[in-house]
Amino acid sequence: MANDYRPMWESLGLDLEAHDQLLQVIPPAFGEVYMQQKNRPAEMEYFDFVISEIHGLRIQELQEHKARGGKVVGAFCIFVPEEIVRAAGGICVGLCSGAEIGTAQAEKVLPRNICPLIKSFMGFKLGHVCPYFESCDMVVGETTCDGKKKAFEILNDYVPVHMMETPQMKREKDKALWRSEVRDFVTEMEQFTGNNVTYESLKRAIQDVNGKRKVLARLAELRKNIPAPISGKDSLLIEQIAMYDDVDRFTGQTAKLCDELEERVRTGAGVHEPGALRIIVSGTPMAVPNWKVPHIIESSGAVIVAEELCTGLRYFENTVAEDGHDLEQQVDALAKRYLDIDCACFTPNAARTDKLVQLAEEYKADGIIHCSLAFCDPYLVEANRVEKVLKEHNIPLLRIETDYGQEDSGQLKTRIEAFFEMLAAKKA
Amino acid sequence: MANDYRPMWESLGLDLEAHDQLLQVIPPAFGEVYMQQKNRPAEMEYFDFVISEIHGLRIQELQEHKARGGKVVGAFCIFVPEEIVRAAGGICVGLCSGAEIGTAQAEKVLPRNICPLIKSFMGFKLGHVCPYFESCDMVVGETTCDGKKKAFEILNDYVPVHMMETPQMKREKDKALWRSEVRDFVTEMEQFTGNNVTYESLKRAIQDVNGKRKVLARLAELRKNIPAPISGKDSLLIEQIAMYDDVDRFTGQTAKLCDELEERVRTGAGVHEPGALRIIVSGTPMAVPNWKVPHIIESSGAVIVAEELCTGLRYFENTVAEDGHDLEQQVDALAKRYLDIDCACFTPNAARTDKLVQLAEEYKADGIIHCSLAFCDPYLVEANRVEKVLKEHNIPLLRIETDYGQEDSGQLKTRIEAFFEMLAAKKA
């Protein structure tokens, strides 16, 4: 990092020793996974810079915002309406939880056999190693899964947690419940920030966040081309950074990248060998720095063309209608947009399997890799439904269950390579 | 079993060979765990008989009910309102899922690392070994946990499943959602059985099921005495049988047992050595034939005085108000009673930890054993809250995570004995 951020980290109460260890892990991992890729778009420079400043510049911005009296609100789920935080003058950051850290501390309050993302967020908090987490004045939790739902009760001992109840189904009464939760969140944010959420401020926030979604959708659209103009790893990185970067700057930089990619498409320039297998990854979120499976996939001769993930399409595929005439209509539109997310927490969730079939066609994918974090009942059980529907449509599928450790990398590589051999034989 | 039930089992489509293996396991386990207890109440004879006829007499009754055009509805959760099934002329049976069976078949459709109860119910169904399951015309599922919620989607491939959405919190809007689910279930049962649910039929059903709850509460009350007039294992057996036995017969037989226990209390007769440690077990349900932990506890010199379990107090501690003047008021009362259950699926769930403190006092318990099925996020994470509150009240706690295998029996016995030594030292 360019500056000496240690005084800032110290003032945030970070455990500097543990934090040093974390920072020693990320840059080499990033170098190996990212910097050795060939034919990277020049405009990736910005995103590389963001990672190089991962706990620096953006944290400084958050601190400046707080110094001006602004609030920082953390989230672990894409159901938390960023627009409302923004409309109340706050900054919403997606907390990553993609690394095994503070495990011993986390296991003092959590069961050993639990989703690595949950163990990670508790470890980050109890270990005082994440300056984003330590910058948060509040965390917004949701009831999308049992593990998080209950872990938020414990997290609330360490940072104020506001819970939003995501329903379990998508009928009219569930929509009404969720709409009420979104409305209550407006009030909660107003009280918490001391700022009114007005029609104008919410309109602007909706436009801003829609802008981010639209540029991500533009990027996704470009990846439908053969050859793909950008790697899946780079795309995932952008989708990960979307969760915590400054919205306007991020949107502008991603637009520039898309301009470059459009030029690549015009000239037929791709990032991979001609004829590389095209893969869609689907499943649970991949948080920074969890690039394990995409790295194995793209080091095995394939290119990832879409992520049907929370760190992917689920985050940006739908926009919020901008035609609301008053705050209540805006809340309607927000509630609708968020409940359209096809998370495996819903029962049934046929829209997700239908979507996968559609994506496979649109992105001309040779196969789908369903990748779930260990112990994630919603996605691991739903994988059975995914398998059933993809089989009916003759779309090849590989199912993976993994965590943040590297112990299974060799085994995963073997399985993924075998899957690709099968796909290549099918294609030939 | 007294009669030859093989033709009946065959007509239900059971896999007779696998079923024979199951039946070969249960009676010896029951003999070892139950029949060698000393000072058992004479009135346990009925419940022993029910187990000796586990897949016989009661199944025959269900078949006779079906032959008369009646429906059998299965449930895996105490949130399913038995009263409504009865009021529509149906029989509601709690499906047990307390044994490791059909695991290989279950793992074809479920992840390996999932709650043993869920794996068991899928194994029972796919393995065609449970005549209760095969007698069910419908299963009623709920959204109390991720694993079951999603597994019901798969189960629906094999038997019709009606889902009830249990909310995740207990605010007014959650109560309204749940009330609506209970009301919809009345309509669902009416359509499914072809019988109207009337004020009169529901009133009778509420009275019947309340009768069952009241006699179980009477049994629980008797166990507050020192010495305890009945073992925890026998009490658990009764609570397990409550889930599927004929309601009136069960209530009558349990009342007789309570009469006998009252006499014991008068004469000071107990089932254990004087001064035996008094233990409360708390956590996830213990379904037939999962008697592992209670057997270890009561073979180690302690007596279990209460079960804060779904197969225990949660099942019967609240009754449904009987003063409803019409069907809608009856539905109100049913919805209220069921949402009062303090399941770990709710967030927050402080009522459960408060209840545990109260139970420890009322039942004069020396300690609490928190026993959770493996991979159960709601209970395993909530164990942290239980630990916190019990510590504040200086109530000793042992936390156990286990499954249906016997591999950990030795280790559990060692841990439980060490806990008891600590309790005995504290008491001395």
Side-chain angles (χ1 to χ4, degrees), chain B residues 101-367:
Chain B
I101 200 153
T103 305
Q105 279 141 304
E107 286 181 0
K108 278 187 194 157
V109 298
L110 290 176
R112 187 169 300 195
N113 291 327
I114 198 168
C115 160
L117 193 148
I118 296 170
K119 201 182 280 190
S120 173
F121 83 57
M122 203 61 87
F124 271 91
K125 186 68 204 174
L126 298 186
H128 303 283
V129 289
C130 175
Y132 291 95
F133 219 150
E134 299 311 312
S135 298
C136 287
D137 300 295
M138 171 192 273
V139 164
V140 182
E142 18 57 47
T143 62
T144 51
C145 73
D146 292 338
K148 272 193 292 172
K149 176 177 71 181
K150 299 302 288 184
F152 286 131
E153 296 174 13
I154 301 173
L155 187 63
N156 191 44
D157 289 351
Y158 306 97
V159 56
V161 176
H162 171 78
M163 287 296 289
M164 293 184 78
E165 184 175 4
T166 45
Q168 311 289 299
M169 302 173 89
K170 289 190 179 183
R171 303 157 306 171
E172 284 309 315
K173 53 181 140 178
D174 300 300
K175 290 175 186 167
L177 175 73
W178 175 240
R179 200 269 177 207
S180 148
E181 289 296 283
V182 174
R183 185 64 186 84
D184 286 355
F185 187 53
V186 172
T187 309
E188 174 71 25
M189 278 298 104
E190 287 183 326
Q191 288 170 352
F192 188 68
T193 62
N195 300 323
N196 282 336
V197 172
T198 64
Y199 170 73
E200 285 72 25
S201 71
L202 191 51
K203 186 181 175 72
R204 203 162 45 244
I206 289 173
Q207 286 168 342
D208 292 346
V209 180
N210 273 349
K212 171 162 69 169
R213 291 196 188 104
K214 284 174 192 164
V215 78
L216 285 166
R218 185 180 160 205
L219 170 61
E221 198 63 28
L222 285 161
R223 295 167 72 195
K224 291 183 179 172
N225 288 286
I226 299 180
I230 184 170
S231 72
K233 286 194 290 189
D234 278 335
S235 305
L236 174 63
L237 185 70
I238 295 164
E239 289 154 349
Q240 289 171 333
I241 288 172
M243 307 259 170
Y244 67 89
D245 197 12
D246 176 82
V247 174
D248 293 337
R249 182 174 60 213
F250 173 88
T251 303
Q253 293 289 347
T254 308
K256 275 201 217 172
L257 171 77
C258 288
D259 293 342
E260 181 185 359
L261 298 187
E262 272 173 9
E263 184 54 31
R264 283 190 165 208
V265 168
R266 256 192 298 277
T267 61
V271 279
H272 275 264
E273 307 288 320
L277 291 168
R278 297 169 65 85
I279 299 298
I280 292 171
V281 292
S282 173
T284 51
M286 296 178 183
V288 175
N290 177 22
W291 305 302
K292 182 168 72 171
V293 172
H295 185 50
I296 295 173
I297 293 172
E298 297 203 324
S299 309
S300 306
V303 57
I304 298 168
V305 291
E307 297 77 30
E308 197 276 315
L309 305 175
C310 304
T311 49
L313 284 160
R314 262 177 242 138
Y315 179 64
F316 59 81
E317 61 187 345
N318 304 311
T319 53
V320 178
E322 295 183 13
D323 57 355
H325 290 305
D326 57 30
L327 189 80
E328 296 309 320
Q329 289 187 0
Q330 290 172 321
V331 169
D332 290 342
L334 282 164
K336 183 185 179 317
R337 186 269 155 195
Y338 281 91
L339 206 62
D340 273 345
I341 298 172
D342 296 324
C343 175
C345 68
F346 295 106
T347 187
N349 192 33
R352 178 173 168 233
T353 44
D354 293 347
K355 170 77 59 58
L356 278 172
V357 172
Q358 185 196 328
L359 291 176
E361 191 181 322
E362 286 179 10
Y363 285 81
K364 304 168 196 79
D366 297 295

Side-chain angles (χ1 to χ4, degrees), chain A residues 108-115 118 143-147 149-151 153-154 157 163-169 171 173-174 177 180-181 184 343-349 375 377-378 380-382 384-385 387-388 399 401, chain B residues 108-115 118 143-147 149-151 153-154 157 163-169 171 173-174 177 180-181 184 343-349 375 377-378 380-382 384-385 387-388 399 401:
Chain A
K108 278 186 193 158
V109 298
L110 290 176
R112 185 169 302 196
N113 290 327
I114 197 167
C115 158
I118 296 171
T143 61
T144 50
C145 72
D146 292 339
K149 175 177 70 180
K150 299 302 288 183
E153 295 174 15
I154 302 174
D157 289 352
M163 287 296 289
M164 294 185 78
E165 183 175 5
T166 45
Q168 312 290 299
M169 301 172 89
R171 302 157 308 170
K173 54 180 142 179
D174 300 300
L177 175 74
S180 150
E181 290 294 284
D184 286 355
C343 174
C345 68
F346 297 106
T347 186
N349 192 32
F375 308 116
D377 280 347
L380 285 168
V381 180
E382 190 164 286
N384 170 274
R385 303 288 90 180
E387 189 171 46
K388 190 169 182 252
R399 288 167 57 171
E401 178 180 351
Chain B
K108 278 187 194 157
V109 298
L110 290 176
R112 187 169 300 195
N113 291 327
I114 198 168
C115 160
I118 296 170
T143 62
T144 51
C145 73
D146 292 338
K149 176 177 71 181
K150 299 302 288 184
E153 296 174 13
I154 301 173
D157 289 351
M163 287 296 289
M164 293 184 78
E165 184 175 4
T166 45
Q168 311 289 299
M169 302 173 89
R171 303 157 306 171
K173 53 181 140 178
D174 300 300
L177 175 73
S180 148
E181 289 296 283
D184 286 355
C343 175
C345 68
F346 295 106
T347 187
N349 192 33
F375 309 116
D377 280 347
L380 285 167
V381 180
E382 189 163 288
N384 171 274
R385 302 289 90 179
E387 188 171 47
K388 189 170 183 249
R399 288 167 57 171
E401 177 180 352

